[in-house]
Amino acid sequence: VQLVESGGTLVQPGRSLRLSCAASGFTFDDFAMHWVRQAPGKGLEWVSGISLNSNTIVYADSMKGRFTISRDNAKRSLYLQINSLRPDDTAFYYCAKARGSSLGHNLDNWGQGTLVIVSS
Amino acid sequence: DIEMTQSPSSLSASVGDRVTITCRASQSISSYLNWYQQKPGKAPKLLIAAVSSLQSGVPSRFSGSGSGTDFTLTITSLQPEDFATYYCQQSYSTRWTFGQGTKVEIK
């Protein structure tokens, strides 16, 4: 199993960014996927999850409205669109494969993370 | 959202010590509780799923217990490679949440 995130960069407040996660080594469309973020030196914060067929999508309450998770099973890819970026969105963003039905119950494989820095 | 509170936030221990980390949920989460280990500069790793199910390759010195709102991660005979930060995570609610983490440091 390999998960490789990309798209992290230095971006100005108020701008938008789309993160990607390329999956390999497993049948991507058999598993739910999630995004988790971690501000530098801080703890893990669950962001969002998407079921294998995109029928179920959930967000952390603090992420609703500005974050959009999506997936393209044909491309074996997971995405996270973040709009109106704020300095407190600065974090490593990890994509992770879930295990279990629907949205899954735990995250058994993680990418290496991509760093988003929001600063003017 | 369900709040997960870990204690302690950090601890210092010696190689060979027995270490216990607790995780308390703000409401009952049945057995939907997982533990992760994270080492500096690395992605988290799933250690224990569903309270007590040790993941493949995880040493048997790790164990988990609990139900409802109170859970425990125990490391018997702490090894040098166990110094890391540990997080609990609930999946009872569709909106998952993590504990704030417990950093295990070398005494």
Side-chain angles (χ1 to χ4, degrees):
Chain A
V1 173
Q2 190 170 18
L3 297 167
V4 180
E5 302 95 335
S6 61
T9 188
L10 171 62
V11 60
Q12 292 181 327
R15 304 296 291 265
S16 297
L17 199 60
R18 189 198 202 200
L19 306 180
S20 300
C21 173
S24 60
F26 66 102
T27 306
F28 183 71
D29 51 8
D30 276 352
F31 295 93
M33 298 292 295
H34 293 252
W35 288 99
V36 175
R37 73 180 184 179
Q38 185 171 37
K42 303 297 184 182
L44 301 174
E45 182 177 27
W46 177 78
V47 173
S48 179
I50 185 168
S51 63
L52 58 90
N53 54 13
S54 303
N55 281 355
T56 303
I57 290 175
V58 289
Y59 300 95
D61 279 345
S62 59
M63 315 287 173
K64 266 188 208 176
R66 294 191 301 118
F67 289 69
T68 303
I69 191 172
S70 62
R71 64 189 295 163
D72 185 332
N73 287 345
K75 294 184 177 179
R76 304 172 59 85
S77 292
L78 177 72
Y79 305 102
L80 185 68
Q81 175 80 26
I82 313 173
N83 297 328
S84 303
L85 278 154
R86 310 188 301 221
D88 62 357
D89 293 320
T90 295
F92 287 92
Y93 286 75
Y94 294 99
C95 78
K97 169 184 163 287
R99 197 171 57 189
S101 59
S102 186
L103 290 169
H105 289 292
N106 51 65
L107 301 171
D108 63 350
N109 285 279
W110 297 62
Q112 84 290 348
T114 189
L115 179 60
V116 174
I117 301 173
V118 184
S119 174
S120 53
Chain B
D1 289 355
I2 298 174
E3 186 174 350
M4 306 299 291
T5 304
Q6 290 181 230
S7 61
S9 294
S10 64
L11 64 90
S12 295
S14 301
V15 172
D17 283 355
R18 179 186 179 93
V19 167
T20 298
I21 298 169
T22 64
C23 177
R24 174 164 287 176
S26 59
Q27 67 180 73
S28 176
I29 58 171
S30 184
S31 297
Y32 294 97
L33 189 283
N34 308 297
W35 290 98
Y36 299 84
Q37 176 193 64
Q38 187 180 33
K39 296 182 179 180
K42 300 293 186 182
K45 170 188 170 183
L46 179 64
L47 275 185
I48 292 174
V51 178
S52 59
S53 178
L54 212 62
Q55 297 308 285
S56 176
V58 176
S60 59
R61 62 181 178 272
F62 289 91
S63 64
S65 63
S67 66
T69 60
D70 295 309
F71 303 87
T72 299
L73 172 68
T74 300
I75 312 171
T76 58
S77 190
L78 196 68
Q79 297 301 300
E81 59 268 29
D82 302 335
F83 292 95
T85 302
Y86 295 85
Y87 295 92
C88 61
Q89 172 249 325
Q90 66 80 20
S91 57
Y92 178 83
S93 163
T94 54
R95 289 179 175 78
W96 295 4
T97 45
F98 286 90
Q100 82 279 15
T102 296
K103 187 174 184 179
V104 177
E105 298 175 300
I106 302 172
K107 183 182 282 185

